[in-house]
């Protein structure tokens, strides 16, 4: 792939990282180093990804945890595999049951929005199918950090402090006490640079490692989770956990200017990124920093997202198929709506999210794009006492309108925001990429892919480029470093432009590309967080 690795037009002090034997890119230096440690012990990229993901539950609990969901795209021996480790709703839940508890829409926190966690099953399935080392060996670094502790990094400390301040005001009932016992044991959030440990988290990780995940779904941990949920009127049961296993799926893709961009199929929202690329590829983009480029990008994403929110859910409940939504005719019909002025689509207001994304590669050509999340920051606020297990609030995305495609049903998987990405050309892997952050994710995928393919930016520059986020209607949020002259010109086209005060709303990405001729790996990591690349 043609690109200038010394060309860095954005305010970043990072260049592309190069290595040959292996590379791990993620949002936390300690997690990246853990992945490298596993590679150097003889593990492959998949082992490294599991180790990194497990460490992230310890060193970035503000965004993910053992009680969250995960997805992966895995390149092994010339083939791309997909893993959907999102969990369904409880079998006992229903729209009527939620409304009987006094809710007109799914709540954000508490026991009700908790769905079956998929993370431990993701680790176990990846390890069994593709790993070289045992799960006990691979989870050892995470157990070590949970027991011995680690110093809080800057962005982590920022979001932990904000979460504590918020939760102190809204979590007044008893079911939330274990959150404060676990994540604010000194009566406050840990400070940047301060050591923090979680012995209960270590014990849970050890149990998962020794049983290859069985204890979480069909053992002691499952009993603790279901008992706590029952005690506070939750729906998730021991049977729901026992019946769960992560699902291997066929990835979906679209062709974009000679490359194939890959995503996980619905219930994930990766389809939105592919739909936007399909719309955009009907235009010619000759210059990145141009008003017309940004205008058409925003309009393409706006239309794709409006349709994605209307149609994406578990595949059997979708009113339109993936093939229909990725058809050339569908893309043309939507593209024809784009003119010189900002259009007003169906009203939709995205909530905020919290997720971790990582990419890993080894010298055998194995590569993995992996993402896991508790959804909104710490998730539901429900922590199982003494275990470090913070449960996700993924069920908040369900609709309580029985006519909506994403309507709540027993045992159903909801519309899911977290999405790993992968890029290929012909039969060769280019590599894994991703941008985490709630409803920013497909927008980040779309922008990073255009930065790479249309504008030939190297991995670090593709990530550092100023981002925009469509919010709703004609509203667009842009980063502090977004060119002001372009923002003004977009406003003249009818876009309602708001400049953000920081970079927190624009996601955090990682990229690893592989040169198919030499095997050399080249990586970019996120400058908007505590991102780091470990390589050798």
């Amino acid at each position: 792939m043609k690109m200038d690795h010394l060309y860095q037009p954005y305010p970043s002090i990072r260049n592309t990282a190069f290595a040959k034997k292996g590379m791990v890119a993620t949002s936390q230096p300690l997690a990246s180093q853990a992945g490298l440690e596993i590679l150097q012990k003889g593990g492959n990229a998949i082992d490294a990804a599991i180790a990194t993901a497990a460490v992230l539950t310890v060193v970035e609990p503000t965004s993910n945890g053992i009680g969250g969901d995960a997805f992966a795209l895995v390149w092994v021996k010339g083939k791309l595999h997909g893993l959907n480790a999102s969990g369904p709703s409880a079998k006992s839940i229903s729209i009527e049951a939620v409304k009987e508890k006094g809710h007109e829409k799914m709540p954000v926190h508490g026991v009700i929005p908790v769905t079956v966690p998929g993370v431990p099953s993701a680790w176990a399935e990846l390890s069994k199918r593709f790993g070289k080392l045992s799960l006990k060996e691979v989870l050892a670094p995470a157990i070590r950090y949970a027991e011995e502790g680690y110093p809080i990094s800057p962005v982590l400390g920022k979001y932990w402090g904000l979460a504590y301040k918020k939760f102190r005001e809204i979590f007044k009932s008893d079911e939330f006490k274990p959150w404060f016992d676990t994540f604010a044991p000194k009566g406050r959030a840990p400070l940047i640079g301060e050591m923090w440990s979680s012995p209960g988290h270590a014990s849970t990780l050890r149990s998962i490692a020794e049983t290859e995940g069985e204890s979480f779904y069909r053992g002691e941990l499952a009993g603790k989770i279901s008992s706590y949920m029952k005690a506070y009127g939750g729906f998730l049961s021991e049977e729901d956990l026992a019946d769960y296993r992560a699902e291997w799926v066929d990835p979906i893709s679209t062709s974009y200017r000679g490359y194939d961009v890959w995503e996980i199929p619905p219930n994930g929202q990766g389809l939105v990124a592919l739909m936007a690329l399909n719309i955009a590829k009907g235009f010619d983009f000759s210059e990145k920093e141009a008003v017309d480029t940004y205008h058409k990008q925003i309009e393409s994403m706006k239309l794709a997202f409006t349709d994605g929110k209307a149609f994406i859910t578990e595949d059997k409940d979708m009113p339109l198929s993936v093939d229909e939504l990725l058809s050339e005719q569908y893309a043309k019909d939507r593209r024809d709506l784009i003119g010189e002025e900002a259009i007003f689509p169906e009203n939709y207001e995205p909530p905020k999210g919290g997720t971790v994304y990582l990419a890993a590669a080894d010298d055998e050509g194995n590569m993995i794009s992996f993402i896991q999340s508790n959804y909104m920051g710490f998730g539901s606020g429900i922590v199982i006492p003494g275990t470090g297990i913070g449960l996700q609030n993924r069920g908040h995305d369900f609709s309580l309108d029985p006519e909506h495609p994403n309507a709540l049903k027993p045992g159903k998987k909801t519309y899911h925001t977290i999405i790993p990405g992968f890029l290929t050309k012909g039969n060769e892997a280019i590599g894994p990429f991703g941008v985490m952050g709630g409803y920013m994710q497909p927008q980040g995928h779309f922008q990073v892919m255009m930065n790479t393919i249309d504008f030939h930016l190297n991995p670090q520059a593709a990530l550092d480029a100023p981002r925009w986020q469509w919010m709703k209607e004609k509203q667009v949020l842009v980063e502090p470093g977004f060119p002001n002259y372009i923002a003004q010109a977009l406003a003249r086209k009818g876009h309602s432009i708001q400049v953000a005060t920081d970079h927190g709303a624009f996601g955090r990405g990682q990229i690893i590309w592989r040169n198919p001729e030499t095997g050399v790996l080249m990586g970019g990591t996120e400058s908007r967080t505590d991102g780091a690349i470990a390589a050798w």
Side-chain angles (χ1 to χ4, degrees):
M1 187 180 294
K2 183 181 178 182
M3 55 184 66
D4 180 358
H5 293 287
L6 293 177
Y7 177 63
Q8 178 50 280
Y10 305 110
S12 167
I13 59 171
R14 288 192 173 110
N15 289 316
T16 302
F18 287 88
K20 183 67 167 66
K21 287 191 173 183
M23 183 176 288
V24 182
T26 189
S27 52
Q28 284 286 330
L30 298 178
S32 298
Q33 285 295 128
L36 179 61
E37 175 185 330
I38 294 301
L39 286 173
Q40 292 176 332
K41 284 185 175 180
N44 61 18
I46 293 81
D47 293 315
I50 300 166
T52 303
V55 170
L56 281 166
T57 69
V58 182
V59 303
E60 199 174 329
T62 52
S63 300
N64 78 124
I66 300 170
D69 279 346
F71 292 88
L73 289 167
V74 189
W75 180 271
V76 175
K77 295 180 180 178
K79 181 175 171 57
L80 191 63
H81 307 264
L83 182 68
N84 182 331
S86 64
S89 60
K91 294 177 183 176
S92 61
I93 203 169
S94 66
I95 291 173
E96 295 74 22
V98 173
K99 287 187 173 182
E100 283 175 8
K101 290 182 178 287
H103 301 282
E104 287 305 310
K105 62 180 182 178
M106 285 294 284
V108 175
H109 298 111
V111 295
I112 292 175
V114 176
T115 53
V116 177
V119 161
S121 185
W123 298 346
E125 288 295 316
L126 287 166
S127 180
K128 288 174 190 174
R129 185 165 182 180
F130 295 120
K132 291 173 68 176
L133 304 181
S134 70
L135 198 57
K136 288 176 70 174
E137 291 174 280
V138 168
L139 295 192
I143 294 169
R144 184 175 71 238
Y145 280 121
E147 284 185 331
E148 298 177 5
Y150 64 92
I152 303 298
S153 56
V155 176
L156 170 67
K158 171 186 174 180
Y159 286 107
W160 205 321
L162 290 172
Y164 172 75
K165 185 176 180 181
K166 175 183 176 182
F167 291 171
R168 185 180 58 191
E169 299 300 319
I170 65 173
F171 288 171
K172 301 295 186 182
S173 48
D174 288 347
E175 68 263 37
F176 297 112
K177 185 177 182 298
W179 186 91
F180 293 96
D181 295 339
T182 302
F183 295 112
K186 295 182 179 179
R188 57 170 174 78
L191 305 176
I192 294 169
E194 184 176 18
M195 293 292 290
W196 183 81
S197 63
S198 180
H201 199 127
S203 177
T204 294
L205 287 170
R206 187 172 284 110
S207 178
I208 290 170
E210 291 173 349
T211 65
E212 295 189 327
E214 285 297 300
S215 65
F216 190 93
Y217 296 99
R218 289 162 282 276
E220 180 186 5
L221 294 173
K224 289 181 179 180
I225 294 168
S226 60
S227 295
Y228 197 78
M229 294 294 287
K230 184 177 180 180
Y232 289 99
F235 294 96
L236 193 70
S237 71
E238 207 159 355
E239 180 187 357
D240 294 320
L241 292 164
D243 288 347
Y244 182 74
R245 184 164 274 104
E247 176 187 8
W248 292 99
V249 297
D250 293 326
I252 60 174
S253 68
T254 194
S255 177
Y256 187 78
R257 309 200 197 285
Y259 292 85
D260 290 309
V261 183
W262 297 86
E263 301 277 356
I264 291 285
N267 55 317
Q269 66 174 345
L271 178 57
V272 170
L274 301 184
M275 291 163 64
L277 287 169
N278 266 358
I279 295 169
K281 72 183 180 185
F283 300 118
D284 292 323
F285 297 100
S286 59
E287 183 183 355
K288 183 185 184 308
E289 302 305 330
V291 176
D292 188 63
T293 295
Y294 281 104
H295 171 66
K296 285 173 177 168
Q297 284 181 321
I298 292 166
E299 295 298 280
S300 296
M301 178 52 66
K302 185 189 298 184
L303 289 165
F305 228 137
T306 299
D307 294 338
K309 284 300 292 184
F311 304 134
I312 293 174
T313 184
E314 207 168 32
D315 57 354
K316 66 179 185 294
D317 287 336
M318 286 177 57
L320 288 175
S321 69
V322 169
D323 287 344
E324 287 174 302
L325 292 170
L326 290 181
S327 70
E328 293 299 323
Q329 186 60 50
Y330 192 89
K332 181 182 182 301
D333 290 344
R334 303 308 272 160
R335 190 184 306 122
D336 288 346
L337 296 176
I338 298 174
E340 292 300 313
E341 295 289 319
I343 59 175
F344 190 101
E346 181 180 330
N347 191 349
Y348 162 62
E349 186 169 2
K352 297 177 181 178
T355 305
V356 292
Y357 172 79
L358 66 96
D362 61 34
D363 60 353
E364 297 175 4
N366 303 309
M367 308 178 86
I368 179 169
S369 183
F370 186 93
I371 194 162
Q372 67 186 20
S373 176
N374 273 1
Y375 192 23
M376 295 180 176
F378 278 97
S380 65
I382 300 297
V383 174
I384 307 305
T387 67
I389 300 172
L391 295 171
Q392 65 186 11
N393 60 337
R394 186 57 62 179
H396 171 68
D397 262 356
F398 279 119
S399 172
L400 296 188
D401 175 2
E403 301 303 315
H404 194 283
N406 198 42
L408 175 65
K409 291 181 182 177
K412 179 179 178 178
K413 293 181 179 181
T414 184
Y415 178 109
H416 220 291
T417 58
I418 65 173
I419 52 173
F422 205 91
L423 185 64
T424 63
K425 187 173 186 178
N427 295 319
E428 298 283 355
I430 303 300
F433 71 92
V435 178
M436 52 65 63
Y439 290 86
M440 179 64 204
Q441 291 179 65
Q443 307 196 53
H445 282 211
F446 176 64
Q447 292 172 59
V448 164
M449 282 296 91
M450 288 194 66
N451 291 347
T452 301
I453 297 169
D454 289 276
F455 308 119
H456 311 293
L457 294 182
N458 67 60
Q460 191 60 53
L463 290 170
D464 287 340
R467 294 179 191 152
W468 49 265
Q469 181 179 178
W470 174 68
M471 304 302 290
K472 63 175 183 177
E473 300 168 355
K474 296 184 181 182
Q475 294 181 19
V476 180
L477 188 67
V478 299
E479 283 197 279
F482 191 87
N484 185 56
Y485 71 96
I486 291 179
Q488 290 181 13
L490 289 171
R492 292 193 294 271
K493 284 183 172 290
H495 298 278
S496 178
I497 303 295
Q498 180 183 354
V499 180
T501 56
D502 66 21
H503 303 277
F506 297 93
R508 309 179 210 169
Q510 314 293 332
I511 295 173
I512 298 176
W513 299 147
R514 182 178 185 271
N515 184 320
E517 296 176 2
T518 65
V520 168
L521 304 169
M522 57 196 90
T525 190
E526 186 58 75
S527 55
R528 294 166 182 84
T529 187
D530 305 314
I533 290 175
W536 67 318

